[in-house]
């Protein structure tokens, strides 16, 4: 590892590409935010409901006329909503074990199951099985019992279990309200990174149930089988955990989670402004509409929000995951409740989901606090699509969906891959995944490299600003400034001065193209 110091750092830092004074996203440092949440959880302050009033506030401000009881429905109503969501969006698929283990009755003696790189288990505080990434959780009752016992023994000593490491395998625990989440990993992810991933899974469960409803269920019945209310949602969790592969094609999706950010579909500023204007003009008069999100290929095209309210990248990931988890959205308009835990963990937003047209696979998601708003939102979507078609924006979106960032085209082929996060607006720019990382094994190694260097530069014990590491097969760079984070891999035979020159050239190109590559304003209704 080589430490590069001033004036080189000052030279590169002066660019600050994509720096923006306003953002529609809540911009936070993922590690710092997670540390605060964990600290609150350990002190028993997790359920303080600090953001629980957002939906009630919106209803009150806009005089929606929706009774307060709709914010958190009773047991029967939530079950009905959950089942409706599963049948309309997820086509209720059984949680089949991965890796061909469906016929195995004893996973603990199945070499194929034991050798999986990662396992994720979810159980209630009473030890009731809820979910297993690989295998049927009913056949793992003994293992779930051991995990619950470990948590209970440590809690009896007024402590919380975090992790166990044995023979190169990490067993990582996340104890949240009413639930125990456990990950078993052979990968190089740190304990904190794995716990952050488990937090995403926890948020995915809350997106179906809401926190207050789940708490009430377990307060009344500690042995309640939560799977009764999560039917069909296993597929959402599966997709969230397998986010590195989309339709068997390698993607940059894991790095969205790692950097707590969102990727943007590159579009000219004129096209993006036309799209945003179409959304604003057709939605501004619809009361109680909180967010309008247009996405394609797991990338954000436009986001328009109600004034005073922002969306967290973790909540946006849930929306992306919902769309990416099912093909059924392409066949019609879907109306479904969803809880966005960072926005309001105790209430639902009602979500109108539809693709713009058969010839443009961009998906429009409209989120409101009004459960009766389906028809106004459906009409708005039709008008938005008509305006975008007349202005040739649908064609521009289609063209952008088939383009990536090719480093050879930019003129820096010595950089194999990079991640650039603009900290002021929580947006991420990634290059195409190419050789030697474009195979499953190669991408797994690239992912491991990024997780390792990201953990080291954000270390709680010794946080760094710059790491340049020469490895046998590549050179790795991690650079954190006040305005951005940059992670990159280089060809192995270049020297440090060449690395700096290449980084300067990359940052100069990003600065030049920032209006194409990023959303630099925060439009509202």
């Amino acid at each position: 590892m080589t430490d590069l110091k001033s004036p080189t750092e000052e030279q590169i830092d002066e660019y600050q590409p994509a720096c923006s004074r306003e953002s529609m996203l809540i911009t936070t440092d993922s590690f710092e935010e997670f540390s605060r949440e964990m600290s609150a959880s350990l002190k028993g302050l997790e359920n303080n409901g600090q953001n629980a009033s957002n939906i009630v506030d919106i209803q009150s401000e806009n005089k929606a006329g929706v009774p307060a009881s709709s914010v958190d429905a009773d047991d029967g109503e939530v079950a009905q909503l959950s089942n409706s969501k599963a049948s309309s969006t997820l086509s209720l698929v059984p949680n089949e074990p991965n890796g061909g283990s469906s016929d195995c009755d004893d996973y603990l003696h199945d070499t194929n199951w034991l050798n999986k790189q990662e396992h994720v288990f979810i159980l209630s505080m009473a030890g009731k099985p809820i979910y297993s990434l690989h295998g049927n959780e009913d056949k793992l009752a003994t293992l779930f019992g051991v995990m619950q016992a470990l948590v209970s023994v440590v809690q009896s000593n007024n402590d919380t279990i975090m992790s166990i490491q044995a023979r190169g395998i990490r067993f990582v625990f996340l104890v949240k309200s009413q639930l125990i989440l456990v990950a078993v990993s052979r990968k190089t992810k740190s304990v904190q990174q794995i716990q952050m991933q488990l937090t995403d899974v926890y948020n995915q469960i809350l997106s179906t149930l809401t926190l207050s409803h789940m708490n009430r269920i377990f307060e009344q019945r500690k042995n309640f089988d939560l799977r009764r209310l999560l039917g069909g949602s296993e597929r959402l969790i599966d997709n969230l955990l397998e986010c590195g592969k989309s339709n068997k094609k390698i993607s940059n999706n894991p790095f969205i989670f790692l950097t707590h950010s969102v990727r943007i579909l590159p579009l000219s500023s004129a096209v993006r402004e036309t799209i945003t204007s179409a959304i604003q003009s057709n939605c501004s008069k619809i009361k109680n509409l909180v967010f309008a999100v247009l996405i394609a290929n797991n990338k954000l095209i436009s986001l328009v929000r109600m004034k005073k309210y922002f969306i967290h990248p973790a909540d946006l990931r849930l929306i992306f995951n919902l769309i990416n988890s099912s093909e059924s959205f392409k066949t019609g308009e879907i109306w479904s409740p969803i809880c966005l835990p960072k926005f309001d963990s105790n209430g639902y937003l009602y979500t109108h989901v539809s693709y713009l047209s058969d010839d443009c696979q961009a998906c429009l998601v409209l989120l409101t606090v009004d459960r009766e708003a389906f028809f106004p939102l459906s009409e708005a979507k039709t008008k938005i699509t008509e305006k975008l078609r007349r202005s040739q924006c649908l064609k521009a979106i289609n063209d952008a969906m088939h383009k990536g960032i090719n480093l050879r085209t930019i003129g820096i082929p010595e950089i194999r891959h990079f991640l650039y996060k603009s900290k002021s607006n929580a947006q991420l720019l990634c290059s195409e995944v190419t050789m030697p990382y474009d195979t499953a094994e190669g991408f797994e190694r690239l992912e491991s490299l990024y997780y390792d260097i990201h953990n080291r530069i954000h270390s709680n014990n010794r946080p760094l600003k710059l790491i340049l590491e020469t490895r046998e097969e590549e050179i790795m760079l991690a650079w954190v400034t006040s305005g951005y984070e940059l992670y990159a891999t280089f060809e192995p035979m270049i020297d440090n001065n060449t690395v700096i020159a290449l980084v300067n050239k990359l940052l100069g190109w990003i600065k030049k193209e920032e209006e194409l590559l990023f959303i630099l304003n925060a439009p509202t209704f």
Side-chain angles (χ1 to χ4, degrees), residues 352-364:
H352 180 276
V353 183
S354 60
Y355 281 78
L356 292 182
S357 65
D358 292 337
D359 59 338
C360 181
Q361 294 300 293
C363 187
L364 181 64

Side-chain angles (χ1 to χ4, degrees), residues 192-257:
Q192 193 172 38
Q193 287 169 340
I194 295 173
Q195 287 180 322
M196 288 171 62
Q197 186 177 26
L198 291 176
T199 301
D200 261 17
V201 175
Y202 176 72
N203 288 337
Q204 185 66 71
I205 292 175
L206 295 187
S207 74
T208 300
L209 298 178
T210 77
L211 176 61
S212 56
H213 178 62
M214 184 177 68
N215 284 342
R216 188 164 63 247
I217 287 172
F218 284 114
E219 286 169 2
Q220 295 172 354
R221 295 175 58 189
K222 294 187 181 299
N223 288 319
F224 184 80
D225 188 347
L226 201 63
R227 290 174 296 181
R228 289 171 49 189
L229 299 183
L230 292 175
S233 297
E234 300 93 345
R235 190 168 168 186
L236 288 168
I237 302 174
D238 289 346
N239 195 72
L240 192 70
L241 293 170
E242 299 285 353
C243 62
K245 299 176 182 178
S246 178
N247 297 324
K248 298 182 180 180
K249 182 179 179 181
I250 298 298
S251 74
N252 281 301
N253 292 341
F255 308 130
I256 300 173
F257 150 76

Side-chain angles (χ1 to χ4, degrees), residues 267 270-282 294 301-302 355-357 359-360 362-364 380-397:
L267 287 169
V271 170
R272 204 182 305 276
E273 287 173 7
T274 300
I275 294 171
T276 301
S277 175
I279 295 174
Q280 288 173 310
S281 61
N282 288 286
L294 185 61
I301 297 173
S302 180
Y355 281 78
L356 292 182
S357 65
D359 59 338
C360 181
C363 187
L364 181 64
K381 177 261 179 181
T382 300
K383 292 180 178 179
I384 290 169
T385 302
E386 291 172 353
K387 184 171 182 179
L388 297 185
R389 188 178 297 282
R390 290 195 305 269
S391 59
Q392 300 297 308
C393 288
L394 297 187
K395 181 181 183 304
I397 291 172

Side-chain angles (χ1 to χ4, degrees), residues 247-509:
N247 297 324
K248 298 182 180 180
K249 182 179 179 181
I250 298 298
S251 74
N252 281 301
N253 292 341
F255 308 130
I256 300 173
F257 150 76
L258 181 66
T259 56
H260 242 37
S261 56
V262 59
R263 295 181 68 197
I264 307 300
L265 186 73
L267 287 169
S268 70
S269 57
V271 170
R272 204 182 305 276
E273 287 173 7
T274 300
I275 294 171
T276 301
S277 175
I279 295 174
Q280 288 173 310
S281 61
N282 288 286
C283 293
S284 58
K285 294 183 180 180
I286 301 177
K287 288 185 178 180
N288 308 310
L289 183 61
V290 187
F291 299 113
V293 186
L294 185 61
I295 63 178
N297 281 358
N298 286 309
K299 298 176 184 176
L300 182 65
I301 297 173
S302 180
L303 193 160
V304 186
R305 60 187 177 84
M306 183 183 284
K307 290 179 181 177
K308 298 197 308 182
Y309 295 97
F310 300 84
I311 194 166
H312 195 285
D315 285 342
L316 204 53
R317 282 200 299 277
L318 295 177
I319 295 173
F320 277 57
N321 190 53
L322 177 66
I323 305 306
N324 195 42
S325 296
S326 179
E327 293 289 316
S328 65
F329 290 117
K330 297 181 180 180
T331 61
E333 300 175 56
I334 304 298
W335 183 244
S336 175
I338 185 173
C339 171
L340 301 181
K342 294 289 186 179
F343 180 76
D344 189 333
S345 61
N346 293 317
Y348 287 113
L349 290 173
Y350 296 90
T351 310
H352 180 276
V353 183
S354 60
Y355 281 78
L356 292 182
S357 65
D358 292 337
D359 59 338
C360 181
Q361 294 300 293
C363 187
L364 181 64
V365 183
L366 303 173
L367 298 108
T368 176
V369 297
D370 185 358
R371 68 171 68 194
E372 306 297 333
F374 175 85
F375 292 106
L377 296 181
S378 178
E379 182 181 357
K381 177 261 179 181
T382 300
K383 292 180 178 179
I384 290 169
T385 302
E386 291 172 353
K387 184 171 182 179
L388 297 185
R389 188 178 297 282
R390 290 195 305 269
S391 59
Q392 300 297 308
C393 288
L394 297 187
K395 181 181 183 304
I397 291 172
N398 282 338
D399 292 342
M401 287 172 63
H402 296 95
K403 294 179 181 178
I405 298 175
N406 189 307
L407 292 163
R408 291 188 177 276
T409 302
I410 301 172
I412 43 178
E414 299 89 349
I415 300 180
R416 291 178 171 178
H417 189 270
F418 77 86
L419 309 173
Y420 176 90
K421 176 188 175 181
S422 172
K423 296 172 76 171
S424 64
N425 52 30
Q427 296 173 24
L428 181 69
L429 184 64
C430 308
S431 61
E432 292 180 338
V433 179
T434 57
M435 291 181 61
Y437 308 120
D438 57 347
T439 64
E441 295 78 12
F443 182 78
E444 185 175 329
R445 193 168 66 84
L446 176 66
E447 185 181 9
S448 176
L449 291 170
Y450 279 140
Y451 270 91
D452 175 61
I453 204 166
H454 179 274
N455 178 59
R456 286 158 52 201
I457 205 162
H458 288 283
S459 169
N460 289 329
N461 297 326
R462 189 186 173 218
L464 302 171
K465 290 185 176 181
L466 186 62
I467 297 174
L468 182 62
E469 182 178 31
T470 301
R471 293 172 173 256
E472 183 177 348
E473 298 183 53
E474 59 264 303
I475 294 173
M476 296 294 302
L477 172 78
W479 203 313
V480 177
T481 75
S482 59
Y484 60 82
E485 294 183 23
L486 176 64
Y487 306 90
T489 66
F490 300 81
E491 294 291 339
M493 300 305 293
I494 57 179
D495 58 37
N496 290 354
N497 290 332
T498 304
V499 168
I500 297 304
L502 291 170
V503 170
N504 268 311
K505 188 171 183 178
L506 173 62
L507 292 174
W509 175 80

Side-chain angles (χ1 to χ4, degrees), residues 43-71:
K43 294 177 182 178
L45 303 176
E46 180 187 350
N47 301 326
N48 59 4
Q50 56 185 338
N51 69 341
S53 63
N54 276 343
I55 291 177
V56 174
D57 288 348
I58 293 170
Q59 290 173 338
S60 300
E61 290 172 7
N62 292 281
K63 298 180 181 179
V66 181
S69 61
S70 68
V71 175

